[in-house]
Amino acid sequence: MHRTKVKVLEGVLDANDTIAQANRADFDRAGVTVVNLMSSPGAGKTTLLETVLGSLEGVRVGVLEGDVQGTQDAERIAAVHTRTGGHVPVAQINTDPGFGGECHLDANMVRSALPSLPLADLDLLVIENVGNLVCPAEFRIGEDVRVMVSSVTEGEDKPFKYPLMFRACELVLVNKIDLLPHLDFDLEEFLANLDDVNPGVEHMLVSAKTGEGLDAWRDWLVRAATREPAAV
Amino acid sequence: MHRTKVKVLEGVLDANDTIAQANRADFDRAGVTVVNLMSSPGAGKTTLLETVLGSLEGVRVGVLEGDVQGTQDAERIAAVHTRTGGHVPVAQINTDPGFGGECHLDANMVRSALPSLPLADLDLLVIENVGNLVCPAEFRIGEDVRVMVSSVTEGEDKPFKYPLMFRACELVLVNKIDLLPHLDFDLEEFLANLDDVNPGVEHMLVSAKTGEGLDAWRDWLVRAATREPAAV
């Protein structure tokens, strides 16, 4: 009887991670930095893109929109004029062919959309995920960095209630700060809670309405796009 | 050779629906009306319960809290005093033993929590689902009615972007209307969008902060609790 030597493979990637790595390789080859932008529904992801994407100095940016249904956000991005008189290339993924509508983007959905985007002509690709504070944080899609938007209307307790999301990201945009005078929202407490679940994570206080903080957000995107992907 | 007659069963319930029906049967036996309360993170579900649960005339109410992690909401409900000087019985489900934290309650999670609640002593059970506009709408948990909270801070387009959720519910609480003067939110447009995806659905304009609309919400809960479950 032969003794067969069985090689045990540890840490084999699941299908999503395998495809995310393939996306990652394609992005690297094209020299594109990829931002995965996540938040609750209505926290302001699209507005925070509309307000800065037309004025990213020297950066060619594209957007991939993820929604259960509809193309409203993609149409808003497509209407943005860049300083050179062009438009922002945008593609839309709708997750609703899944069971009742998938609540997140996964690597395979993103991969299926890549032929719709001119990767070779981009420096930066922003992928706007489905509005949800749970599952999007569980699926890598090939991104370099993860950014989340948390609206001050959502309450101080959110880092504790959705810790995986708040831990997964490298930048937190604290949005709608123009509403602070009208809310019982303790900003110090929120920031302490955030630091508790993701110590030292970078954050910016922003308002798409008043423009506060948008220069910092624009600069962050320009820096992300012009760094070498591996260094992000 | 015997010819075997094969009986084809159509429309067999999946496991979730089977357990939801078992929950339903237990609720009926106990004479409890069950409300499944859903929304985005931070739309105000817990606050809209805190403000009315202590004053539901003649209704014995209990709460089942669903969260990825933490017991903040359950503690807030446990602190509510009823007019008879008692407390509201509350149990907490945490979904985080699942893969990264399940983004919704399912019938089996609810079933596992039932022994923690004094069903026989309740007229009304409110189940506060995980904050998410996608998956909670896909899982029946044995409820009589589904109520959702939509905050005016989230934008007019949400019925089109999360149609399953807006279609699934029998009542929509349009919350945080005290913020309307400070938002670019077109209430008429939102209500038209809502009616488009769920024609004729009942809605209430409420503000947990100013108290506007809370009497109507309280009355609705009392009526739901005092109707025969089958008639709800």
Side-chain angles (χ1 to χ4, degrees):
Chain A
M1 194 181 85
H2 288 287
R3 293 188 57 185
T4 308
K5 193 152 185 182
V6 176
K7 187 163 183 195
V8 177
L9 299 174
E10 291 185 0
V12 172
L13 295 173
D14 69 15
N16 186 73
D17 286 339
T18 298
I19 301 170
Q21 287 204 349
N23 293 350
R24 177 72 263 140
D26 284 358
F27 296 142
D28 282 344
R29 237 186 322 270
V32 184
T33 300
V34 179
V35 173
N36 182 359
L37 184 63
M38 303 180 285
S39 81
S40 298
K45 295 185 294 303
T46 311
T47 310
L48 285 171
L49 293 178
E50 282 182 304
T51 49
V52 301
L53 290 193
S55 53
L56 297 181
E57 209 60 60
V59 173
R60 300 166 302 169
V61 63
V63 173
L64 182 53
E65 285 288 342
D67 286 291
V68 177
Q69 282 196 11
T71 57
Q72 293 94 337
D73 293 350
E75 285 160 23
R76 287 167 61 187
I77 298 298
V80 171
H81 289 271
T82 61
R83 284 190 181 163
T84 54
H87 287 278
V88 175
V90 57
Q92 173 82 53
I93 296 172
N94 278 153
T95 69
D96 66 353
F99 170 59
E102 291 291 333
C103 62
H104 58 274
L105 293 179
D106 66 27
N108 200 43
M109 296 177 201
V110 169
R111 190 151 195 81
S112 70
L114 295 188
S116 309
L117 287 162
L119 277 194
D121 301 329
L122 298 180
D123 306 304
L124 177 67
L125 174 65
V126 181
I127 302 178
E128 186 180 332
N129 219 309
V130 177
N132 179 354
L133 287 190
V134 188
C135 302
E138 296 166 6
F139 291 83
R140 283 278 176 186
I141 52 181
E143 73 274 43
D144 294 278
V145 276
R146 308 210 266 187
V147 176
M148 76 163 292
V149 183
S150 188
S151 163
V152 295
T153 58
E154 295 171 26
E156 304 90 352
D157 57 349
K158 293 302 163 292
F160 289 133
K161 295 183 73 177
Y162 303 91
L164 187 67
M165 174 62 74
F166 282 86
R167 255 180 222 130
C169 56
E170 283 88 27
L171 172 66
V172 177
L173 298 170
V174 185
N175 193 24
K176 307 193 190 182
I177 59 165
D178 57 286
L179 292 175
L180 283 175
H182 313 294
L183 301 172
D184 301 319
F185 179 85
D186 187 330
L187 182 61
E188 290 307 307
E189 184 185 337
F190 172 82
L191 294 176
N193 293 347
L194 174 61
D195 201 63
D196 216 18
V197 302
N198 191 351
V201 65
E202 186 174 0
H203 74 267
M204 293 177 187
L205 306 182
V206 299
S207 165
K209 189 166 182 175
T210 65
E212 192 169 342
L214 295 188
D215 284 345
W217 164 226
R218 185 184 292 108
D219 291 348
W220 189 94
L221 284 170
V222 171
R223 281 200 312 280
T226 49
R227 274 188 281 180
E228 289 297 306
V232 172
Chain B
M1 195 182 87
H2 289 286
R3 291 189 57 185
T4 308
K5 195 153 183 182
V6 176
K7 188 165 181 193
V8 177
L9 300 174
E10 290 186 1
V12 172
L13 294 173
D14 69 15
N16 185 72
D17 285 339
T18 299
I19 301 171
Q21 288 204 349
N23 293 349
R24 178 72 265 139
D26 285 358
F27 296 142
D28 282 345
R29 240 187 319 274
V32 184
T33 300
V34 179
V35 173
N36 181 0
L37 185 61
M38 304 180 283
S39 81
S40 298
K45 294 184 297 301
T46 311
T47 309
L48 285 171
L49 292 178
E50 282 182 304
T51 49
V52 302
L53 290 193
S55 54
L56 296 181
E57 209 61 61
V59 173
R60 300 166 300 168
V61 63
V63 174
L64 182 53
E65 285 289 342
D67 286 291
V68 177
Q69 280 196 11
T71 57
Q72 293 94 340
D73 293 350
E75 286 159 23
R76 287 167 61 186
I77 298 299
V80 171
H81 290 270
T82 61
R83 284 189 181 164
T84 54
H87 286 279
V88 175
V90 57
Q92 173 82 52
I93 297 172
N94 277 152
T95 69
D96 65 352
F99 171 57
E102 290 292 332
C103 63
H104 58 274
L105 294 179
D106 65 28
N108 200 44
M109 296 177 200
V110 169
R111 190 153 194 79
S112 70
L114 295 188
S116 309
L117 287 162
L119 277 195
D121 300 329
L122 298 180
D123 306 304
L124 177 67
L125 174 65
V126 181
I127 302 178
E128 186 180 334
N129 219 309
V130 178
N132 179 355
L133 286 190
V134 188
C135 302
E138 296 166 7
F139 290 83
R140 282 278 176 187
I141 52 182
E143 72 274 43
D144 294 279
V145 275
R146 309 210 264 188
V147 177
M148 76 163 291
V149 183
S150 188
S151 163
V152 294
T153 58
E154 295 170 26
E156 304 91 352
D157 56 349
K158 292 303 164 290
F160 290 133
K161 295 182 74 177
Y162 303 91
L164 189 67
M165 173 62 74
F166 283 86
R167 257 181 220 128
C169 55
E170 284 87 26
L171 172 66
V172 177
L173 298 170
V174 185
N175 194 23
K176 308 195 189 180
I177 59 165
D178 57 285
L179 292 175
L180 283 175
H182 313 294
L183 301 173
D184 301 319
F185 179 84
D186 186 330
L187 182 59
E188 290 308 306
E189 184 185 338
F190 172 81
L191 294 176
N193 294 347
L194 173 61
D195 201 65
D196 215 19
V197 302
N198 191 351
V201 65
E202 187 174 359
H203 75 266
M204 293 176 185
L205 305 183
V206 299
S207 164
K209 188 165 183 176
T210 66
E212 193 169 342
L214 295 188
D215 284 344
W217 164 226
R218 185 185 292 107
D219 292 348
W220 189 94
L221 284 170
V222 171
R223 282 200 311 279
T226 49
R227 273 186 283 180
E228 289 297 308
V232 172

